[in-house]
């Protein structure tokens, strides 16, 4: 590609790239819906500034490629007028497609499919504040497209009264969300405009017509929930002696914050069932204390050396202190659950105790299965064994239990209602764990948070390893791989670990795992929509939906 077509800042291709990346991270349900429309179609785009790009759907992801390599099924060329109208909420597509402006070429049904995909992207993404900023930055870099900016004083900052001449941006710039309630404050970063698709290829609907579905900015939401729950955890860990060898060490793993998946699920489930976000904060903090206690013990059992880029607790301070810290975190978690008596009352607290005991039992059983495979030098031959172990060890306390506990915080104690979360988040949890296992082999250690290739060093029975030994049909190959993976960690060598990784790539084990995770996640989303259909559309359910789709959009 020549230098003048590179997708640098301020170009049309860069705007598309950054928009797709932002939506994949912040609103994966939107990306999944658009990808479903574009499945099997390669879209080629040319922009008014000379840049080009292609867009394809892969599973539930949209894949952006800079430049135009190969033929496209549908081609779209934007001139200045077309860029101006791209997000105009008042124009139907038929008003925009002009031979001298927006040039669209391709087979009819594929063109309509692409248009439906972009209608979903534009209408459901245009209210995301982060996406608004991307487009406003593009507008400022290309002032000639939008005409003169007229500035009129606004009540909420300098931009509140800005008039651009671009209908969609004027609408968004002047629209501000209503003051947040206590519950809304915890479910932050929500869309200010309800999502809507204007045209399905046959009929159009007015841009002001509201549909019941809502979206949420997942990154903002998870950050708000994570930080609020982290603050609660800090209050729950005592500030007293012995600090150096107990309470300061208890703060170590919680301070190495993750994305906030569990707290967000708990708070969102509470709000989805009509509760206040604050009602779930204490229980979400208890979940995180359990989680960190489990991690301390897990790292000892797995002989892991690093957690989120730093030495594991037992590596830095010895196994004895680490075991005691893990025990202490679990005790504080139990105390946090019981302390809900004063705020949520007896019935809900009893429900929380029951859910917590179930979660812990499932986790211990799953850990026993995995450690037993290693202790007895066994590798399962079927994926189902991994599914059972993964669901028990991590699926319950990572996905299923946070949802159930959040619903209990809202007053739901009927098992039939709570069970509606189980199958959807069982499948999503397995998919999430498989993706974590893949990232351990292929991902950036700084982003993944654990020791790179640690699962191979530890001999973890992952889907990739199960698939590899199942498909390694040559006796010598099978025996060689078994000898390597069954060795204790201290006897492993870097060269042998690389041999196993090379064989996984050669046998397609990593690709198999990625495809399997995508299939499981898609099935989980189907269950989410069916099993939770009775839950009304609200901000809490919107966050749950985005997390369900988050698994399908993670970069692997």
């Amino acid at each position: 590609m020549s230098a003048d077509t590179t997708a640098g800042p301020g170009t049309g291709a860069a705007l598309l790239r950054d928009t797709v990346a932002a939506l994949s991270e912040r609103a994966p349900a939107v990306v999944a819906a658009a990808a479903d429309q574009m499945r099997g179609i390669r879209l080629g785009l040319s922009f008014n500034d000379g840049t080009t790009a292609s867009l394809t759907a892969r599973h539930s992801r949209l894949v952006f490629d800079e430049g135009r390599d190969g033929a496209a099924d549908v081609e779209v060329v934007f001139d200045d007028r077309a860029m101006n109208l791209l997000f105009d909420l008042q124009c139907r597509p038929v008003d925009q497609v002009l031979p001298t402006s927006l040039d669209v070429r391709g087979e009819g049904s594929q063109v309509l499919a692409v248009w439906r995909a972009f209608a979903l992207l534009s209408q459901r993404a245009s209210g995301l504040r982060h996406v608004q900023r991307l487009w406003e930055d593009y507008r400022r870099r290309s002032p000639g497209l939008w005409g003169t900016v007229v500035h009129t004083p606004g009540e909420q900052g300098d931009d509140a009264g800005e008039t651009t001449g671009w209908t969609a941006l004027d609408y968004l710039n002047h629209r501000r969300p209503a003051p947040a309630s206590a519950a809304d404050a915890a479910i932050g970063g929500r869309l200010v405009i309800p999502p809507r698709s204007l045209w399905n290829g046959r009929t159009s609907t007015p841009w002001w017509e509201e549909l019941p579905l809502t979206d949420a900015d997942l990154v903002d939401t998870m950050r708000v929930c994570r930080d609020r729950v982290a603050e609660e955890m800090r209050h729950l860990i005592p500030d007293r002696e012995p600090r150096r060898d107990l309470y300061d060490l208890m703060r170590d793993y919680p301070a190495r914050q993750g994305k906030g998946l569990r707290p967000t699920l708990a708070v969102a489930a509470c709000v989805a069932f009509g509760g206040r976000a604050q009602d779930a904060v204490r229980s979400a903090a208890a979940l995180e204390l359990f989680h960190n206690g489990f991690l301390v013990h897990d790292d000892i059992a797995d002989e892991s050396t690093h957690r989120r880029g730093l030495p594991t607790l037992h590596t830095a301070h010895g196994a004895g202190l680490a075991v005691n810290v893990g025990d202490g975190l679990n005790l504080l978690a139990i105390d946090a659950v019981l302390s809900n008596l004063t705020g949520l009352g007896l019935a809900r607290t009893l429900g929380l105790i029951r859910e917590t005991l179930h979660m812990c039992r499932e986790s211990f059983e799953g850990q026993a299965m995995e450690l037993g495979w290693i202790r007895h030098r066994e590798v399962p031959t079927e994926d189902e064994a991994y599914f059972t172990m993964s669901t028990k060890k991590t699926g319950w306390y990572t996905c299923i239990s946070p949802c159930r506990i959040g619903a209990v915080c809202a007053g739901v104690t009927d098992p039939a209602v709570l069970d509606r979360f189980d199958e959807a988040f069982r499948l999503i949890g397995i998919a999430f764990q498989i993706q974590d296992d893949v990232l351990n082999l292929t991902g950036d250690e700084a982003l993944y948070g654990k020791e790179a290739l640690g699962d191979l060093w530890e001999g973890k029975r992952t889907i990739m390893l199960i698939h590899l030994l199942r498909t390694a049909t040559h006796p010598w190959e099978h025996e060689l791989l078994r000898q390597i993976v069954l060795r204790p960690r201290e006897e492993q060598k870097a060269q042998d670990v690389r041999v196993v990784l090379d064989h996984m790539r050669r046998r397609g084990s990593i690709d198999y795992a990625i495809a399997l995770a995508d299939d499981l996640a898609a099935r989980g989303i189907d269950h989410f929509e069916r099993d939770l259909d009775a839950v009304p559309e609200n901000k809490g359910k919107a966050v749950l939906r985005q997390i369900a789709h988050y698994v399908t959009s993670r970069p692997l």
Side-chain angles (χ1 to χ4, degrees):
M1 178 188 297
S2 61
D4 61 345
T5 59
T6 301
T11 64
L15 180 63
L16 174 66
R17 177 196 64 208
D18 294 344
T19 301
V20 169
L23 290 175
S24 298
E25 182 182 24
R26 294 171 178 272
V30 177
V31 173
D36 186 58
Q37 295 292 337
M38 280 187 57
R39 202 171 304 281
I41 300 173
R42 181 176 177 85
L43 172 64
L45 300 113
S46 299
F47 296 93
N48 57 315
D49 50 27
T51 57
T52 59
S54 65
L55 200 65
T56 54
R58 186 176 303 159
H59 300 295
S60 294
R61 304 175 183 90
L62 287 178
V63 180
F64 170 92
D65 289 308
E66 185 178 334
R68 295 281 301 278
D69 296 325
D73 299 306
V74 176
E75 297 187 51
V76 179
V77 180
F78 294 94
D79 69 353
D80 288 354
R81 175 186 177 278
M83 289 299 290
N84 194 318
L85 293 175
L86 187 60
F87 267 86
D88 193 323
L89 297 175
Q90 296 192 56
C91 285
R92 296 176 301 163
V94 70
D95 297 327
Q96 297 186 36
V97 181
L98 298 178
T100 58
S101 180
L102 177 60
D103 193 4
V104 182
R105 300 177 185 180
E107 192 273 326
S109 63
Q110 292 183 329
V111 169
L112 291 176
V114 168
W115 206 282
R116 290 194 297 272
F118 271 77
L120 284 165
L121 289 174
S122 63
Q123 299 308 313
R124 289 178 63 175
S126 61
L128 274 174
R129 296 183 183 90
H130 185 82
V131 174
Q132 291 173 22
R133 286 195 293 270
L134 288 176
W135 283 78
E136 288 172 354
D137 288 345
Y138 176 77
R139 176 199 60 195
R140 292 189 179 100
R141 289 175 182 269
S142 307
L145 295 181
W146 324 115
T148 304
V149 174
V150 179
H151 204 79
T152 56
E155 296 179 358
Q156 303 180 44
D158 291 341
D159 288 340
E162 189 173 288
T163 301
T164 66
W166 190 21
T167 307
L169 276 182
D170 289 344
Y171 177 77
L172 295 173
N173 283 345
H174 288 82
R175 183 178 172 88
R176 291 294 184 269
S181 66
D184 287 340
I187 303 287
R190 62 200 181 285
L191 288 179
V192 298
I193 302 176
R196 46 202 171 274
S197 179
L198 299 188
W199 194 57
N200 62 10
R202 296 178 300 277
T203 59
S204 62
T205 56
W207 66 269
W208 56 84
E209 179 176 312
E210 295 192 8
L211 300 179
L213 189 64
T214 59
D215 291 302
D217 185 323
L218 189 56
V219 171
D220 287 351
T221 302
M222 292 176 79
R223 184 184 67 250
V224 170
C225 293
R226 180 197 66 197
D227 292 349
R228 177 65 187 88
V229 169
E231 179 185 2
E232 187 75 10
M233 274 196 293
R234 287 193 289 271
H235 293 314
L236 292 172
I237 299 176
D239 182 18
R240 67 179 187 219
E241 296 295 342
R243 291 184 176 85
R244 183 190 64 186
D245 296 323
L246 180 60
Y247 294 119
D248 285 350
L249 299 185
M250 282 186 177
R251 293 182 174 85
D252 188 325
Y253 274 25
R256 308 181 192 186
Q257 287 187 336
K259 292 183 179 298
L261 177 65
R262 281 167 301 278
T264 306
L265 282 171
V267 172
C270 180
V271 173
F273 280 92
R276 301 179 306 164
Q278 182 60 31
D279 291 340
V281 168
R282 176 62 58 90
S283 297
L287 276 170
E288 288 301 275
L289 291 171
F290 274 121
H291 170 62
N292 283 282
F294 292 161
L295 290 183
V296 172
H297 290 160
D298 248 8
D299 287 343
I300 297 171
D302 297 339
E303 301 179 16
S304 299
T305 60
H306 287 78
R307 170 72 60 183
R308 297 205 174 278
L310 297 173
T312 51
L313 208 62
H314 70 278
T315 301
H317 302 282
L321 283 176
V323 168
N324 195 49
V325 166
D327 293 342
L329 286 167
N330 286 329
L331 178 62
L332 288 181
I334 294 170
D335 187 53
V337 174
L338 290 173
S339 69
N340 279 299
L341 272 169
T342 56
L344 300 182
L346 179 61
R348 280 187 277 183
T349 302
L350 287 175
L352 291 171
I353 293 171
R354 174 176 176 152
E355 292 299 326
T356 300
L357 291 174
H358 186 185
M359 175 192 73
C360 291
R361 183 171 61 252
E362 294 284 352
S363 299
F364 299 155
E365 290 175 358
Q367 179 78 331
M369 290 179 65
E370 184 174 53
L371 294 177
W373 290 337
I374 295 173
R375 175 73 176 84
H376 301 296
R377 298 169 60 83
E378 298 171 350
V379 178
T381 58
E382 301 299 329
D383 296 345
E384 283 296 333
Y386 174 91
F387 295 167
T388 301
M389 181 278 297
S390 176
T391 299
K392 284 181 171 291
K393 182 182 175 182
T394 58
W396 273 92
Y397 88 79
T398 297
C399 293
I400 303 172
S401 290
C403 294
R404 294 173 66 106
I405 284 173
V408 172
C409 290
V412 178
T413 57
D414 183 349
V417 177
L418 297 175
D419 290 349
R420 290 177 176 270
F421 287 108
D422 293 2
E423 185 62 10
F425 284 95
R426 180 187 76 86
L427 294 166
I428 289 166
I430 297 170
F432 191 85
Q433 185 58 54
I434 292 174
Q435 289 181 340
D436 258 10
D437 295 343
V438 170
L439 288 169
N440 185 259
L441 304 183
T442 64
D444 183 342
E445 182 174 347
L447 298 176
Y448 170 63
K450 284 187 68 177
E451 173 189 14
L453 303 182
D455 288 351
L456 293 182
W457 283 97
E458 297 162 14
K460 282 285 186 71
R461 276 46 168 174
T462 62
I463 281 292
M464 290 82 74
L465 183 60
I466 293 169
H467 176 270
L468 174 61
L469 292 182
R470 190 169 65 224
T471 57
T473 53
H474 299 298
W476 66 266
E477 180 188 15
H478 190 274
E479 185 57 30
L480 170 67
L481 294 171
R482 276 187 63 86
Q483 288 179 7
I484 294 175
V485 302
L486 295 180
R487 287 177 193 153
R489 179 180 177 121
E490 61 270 16
E491 298 179 15
Q492 292 284 14
K493 299 177 182 178
Q495 179 181 355
D496 291 335
V497 167
R498 287 289 176 185
V499 167
V500 176
L501 182 60
D502 289 343
H503 277 264
M504 283 182 174
R505 287 172 173 154
R506 192 175 304 129
R507 289 287 181 181
S509 300
I510 296 175
D511 291 337
Y512 172 81
I514 292 173
L516 179 60
D518 280 321
D519 177 65
L520 290 166
R523 287 163 53 195
I525 290 165
D526 286 343
H527 273 280
F528 178 91
E529 298 298 349
R530 292 199 309 268
D531 299 348
L532 296 173
D533 180 63
V535 180
E537 294 295 339
N538 55 43
K539 293 182 177 67
K541 186 177 180 181
V543 173
L544 293 176
R545 178 180 287 109
Q546 293 289 18
I547 291 176
H549 283 280
Y550 165 69
V551 178
T552 69
S553 66
R554 297 173 82 190
L556 298 176

